[in-house]
Amino acid sequence: MSRSNKPALIGAGPLAGLCAFVTWGIAGAYFHAVGFADAMEILSHRVLWSALLTLILIFALGRKKALLDLLRSARTMGLLFITSLLIAGNWLIYIWSVNHGHALEASLGYYIMPLIMLILGRIFLNEQLNRTQIISVVIVTAGVLNLLVFFGTLPWIALSLAFLFGFYGLLRKLIPADPIAGLFVECLTLLPLALIYLGWLDSKGEMAFLHTGTGHDALLIGLGAMTTFPLVMFAFAARNMKFGALGLMQYVNPTMQLFVAVLLFGEPFTQAHLITYIFVWCGLALFTWDNLRTARLSRANS
């Protein structure tokens, strides 16, 4: 029985991972579609409906014990409060960027994020960097500085997204939290602020929800699924496929974001952008090659 299920499980893991990264990759198009609301209202609805959906999933998937374990730990709750602020900042900047003509720069942030996490691991977890990894970081840094030379300003959106999610990933690595229960607690932490903002917006007569049509209302409610679905798929993939392969698959996300920004939103892809992305792609190719080589050597020595 277990033999017959194994091939299906192996195939299901990569499929789930692909679903997660494709969903994140096209999320910009969804956030652009709800651009009739301001960024803070979109964020507030994302928090509200994600909290409700994750709560339903906790009961449906039997994760009540995992949630109670989180709620009983003051340290874990404190860390999840910090991660909730970090992920909210990441969400807000991304939502704002795709609705203000900066989706291309946002995609750059998710390209450089793995190397930002590499640096954070070195600083905070004392993880050693080899020569190839250091060269990768230098190459990507040169690409980022190229935009500074051409446009006279650092790509703050890309750097903010990368560092916010990098620190989020760093803290979540230290928290023994179930992914769904952890997301619920994060959304629950942000929920009072979200409800207060929505109430204030409605009192001013400026809230889009319930005032711009049922189609718009459905799109705003759907933000819960847009947030929760890829997380569940990613968590399943992480348990059922090699982590190295999952790491390589993550580049599907920013690549699709790039295509959405240029082909769907019509954002200009200038020579400066091309040079920067060539640097970034070369740095990531070197980083990926080093990871594959290290994994292969580890298997050979085991």
Side-chain angles (χ1 to χ4, degrees):
M1 184 70 176
S2 59
R3 289 183 179 180
S4 63
N5 287 337
K6 190 174 182 180
L9 189 61
I10 292 174
L15 180 60
L18 186 62
C19 286
F21 291 118
V22 167
T23 302
W24 281 325
I26 63 174
Y30 195 98
F31 292 127
H32 195 268
V34 294
F36 52 85
D38 68 50
M40 278 297 295
E41 182 177 354
I42 296 171
L43 175 62
S44 298
H45 283 291
R46 190 173 188 181
V47 169
L48 170 60
W49 303 113
S50 295
L52 290 176
L53 184 55
T54 49
L55 181 61
I56 292 171
L57 287 175
I58 285 170
F59 281 91
L61 300 176
R63 305 289 179 85
K64 290 182 288 185
K65 183 180 183 302
L67 175 59
L68 292 175
D69 290 340
L70 295 183
L71 297 176
R72 291 191 186 105
S73 172
R75 177 182 179 276
T76 300
M77 291 297 292
L79 288 173
L80 285 173
F81 171 74
I82 297 173
T83 60
S84 70
L85 297 179
L86 291 171
I87 198 61
N90 178 276
W91 287 350
L92 182 61
I93 292 172
Y94 183 73
I95 292 167
W96 182 90
S97 67
V98 298
N99 285 313
H100 288 80
H102 298 286
L104 183 60
E105 187 178 333
S107 74
L108 177 63
Y110 288 100
Y111 269 122
I112 67 177
M113 183 186 66
L115 296 183
I116 295 296
M117 296 180 74
L118 192 72
I119 296 171
L120 294 178
R122 174 66 184 91
I123 296 173
F124 294 99
L125 302 177
N126 200 31
E127 296 178 352
Q128 299 301 310
L129 303 182
N130 61 37
R131 182 179 301 175
T132 303
Q133 291 171 332
I134 294 173
I135 294 174
S136 299
V137 172
V138 171
I139 292 174
V140 171
T141 301
V144 172
L145 291 177
N146 171 70
L147 289 183
L148 173 62
V149 173
F150 271 83
F151 296 111
T153 179
L154 281 172
W156 69 268
I157 292 173
L159 292 174
S160 297
L161 289 173
F163 273 101
L164 283 169
F165 199 85
F167 277 107
Y168 174 80
L170 177 68
L171 288 180
R172 284 304 299 261
K173 180 180 176 66
L174 302 175
I175 302 172
D178 174 86
I180 299 175
L183 178 61
F184 170 71
V185 172
E186 288 170 340
C187 291
L188 186 65
T189 302
L190 298 169
L191 188 57
L193 293 176
L195 292 176
I196 289 171
Y197 180 79
L198 290 175
W200 174 77
L201 204 61
D202 190 45
S203 69
K204 294 177 60 181
E206 298 177 2
M207 187 168 72
F209 188 65
L210 300 179
H211 299 289
T212 57
T214 55
H216 285 178
D217 293 344
L219 284 173
L220 289 171
I221 293 173
L223 287 166
M226 178 59 69
T227 300
T228 305
F229 171 76
L231 177 73
V232 174
M233 292 294 101
F234 179 82
F236 179 85
R239 291 194 300 270
N240 293 286
M241 65 181 292
K242 293 181 179 179
F243 194 71
L246 187 64
L248 294 179
M249 192 181 286
Q250 72 176 317
Y251 297 118
V252 170
N253 172 18
T255 301
M256 293 195 68
Q257 288 186 31
L258 171 63
F259 288 139
V260 167
V262 176
L263 300 180
L264 186 60
F265 299 161
E267 293 188 15
F269 191 75
T270 66
Q271 184 181 27
H273 287 109
L274 177 61
I275 294 172
T276 290
Y277 274 87
I278 288 175
F279 272 106
V280 171
W281 289 328
C282 287
L284 290 175
L286 187 61
F287 172 71
T288 299
W289 171 81
D290 181 68
N291 278 352
L292 293 174
R293 180 180 61 87
T294 303
R296 188 164 56 249
L297 290 174
S298 297
R299 288 196 299 269
N301 295 328
S302 61

